[in-house]
Amino acid sequence: WPQRAAWRAARRSGSAFRVGRDLRAPGQPARAAGQQSAAIGGDGRLVYAPKIGRTQLHFGGSLHYHDPGSLPQRVIYRQRPLVHTTDVRFIGTPLLLADNTFGYGLELAAVRGRFWAEAEGFWQHVNADTGFDPTFFGSSVELGMFLTNDTRPYKNGIFKGVKVSDPVSEGGIGAIQAAVRYDGLRLNDGPILGGTQDGYEASLIWTPIDYVRFMMTYGHLVYRDAIIPTPSGNRDYAVDEIGARAQIVF
């Protein structure tokens, strides 16, 4: 989805599930050697993007379905804390055998001049082999603004790269933007205790010229039912993380 798509390409995130940037199943069909299983699946997304005065609005929805065929698929849902330079995952489901999976998401966004806002939610349902079919949920809300005379370009249902109005190459200071964000992920449902993650984040991005970006993000992540306990056995705690990245987009 607009904002998360850019992050997913660089990390994606996706704020894995940077929300939906987080509920993908990295498993593979559980089949014995020589067996065949005809899988089917489909993905769809619809966007309505009216413009009211100077305000660009975005309303979107998506559907995702996968059926591995005659044999169940091994799936596991988990997420790194904010940045993907670490292999530590504080939340994650146990291995599940899925007859099929079905997900759906909703997207909202608005851009007006230097300001933007966006929100999304994603539900992932697993038709499991265990007799209990869990549904996991992720969401995010972001508010941001440019400190310079720039905006977030939007076209055909996605956000485009920033076109710097005062680039360093012409003696300017480039484009500077700041944002605050909330990310939530719920991997608990019924007997499945994968944990919950609530992320409170702030970021600063400098784009000196088109296609070059420098980003720094701070996140305070609060966990419940974490799969990694503290030395005292506590599974409810918080961690702090800072990430920085230089990016060339082409």
Side-chain angles (χ1 to χ4, degrees), residues 1-9 12 45-50 56-61 107-111 116-118 151-163 249:
W1 117 264
Q3 169 79 348
R4 306 305 296 273
W7 280 91
R8 289 174 184 136
R12 251 106 23 183
R45 180 170 177 260
L46 288 176
V47 169
Y48 175 56
Q56 175 68 63
L57 298 175
H58 170 99
F59 303 93
E107 313 162 3
L108 299 172
V111 180
W116 78 86
E118 61 179 60
T151 189
R152 294 189 66 190
Y154 177 94
K155 185 178 181 181
N156 297 329
I158 60 174
F159 285 114
K160 301 292 186 177
V162 175
K163 297 298 183 183
V249 182

Side-chain angles (χ1 to χ4, degrees), residues 25-56:
Q28 56 184 3
R31 61 170 67 97
Q35 288 184 304
Q36 300 296 321
S37 180
I40 60 172
D43 299 89
R45 180 170 177 260
L46 288 176
V47 169
Y48 175 56
K51 190 168 186 178
I52 302 176
R54 297 173 51 212
T55 303
Q56 175 68 63

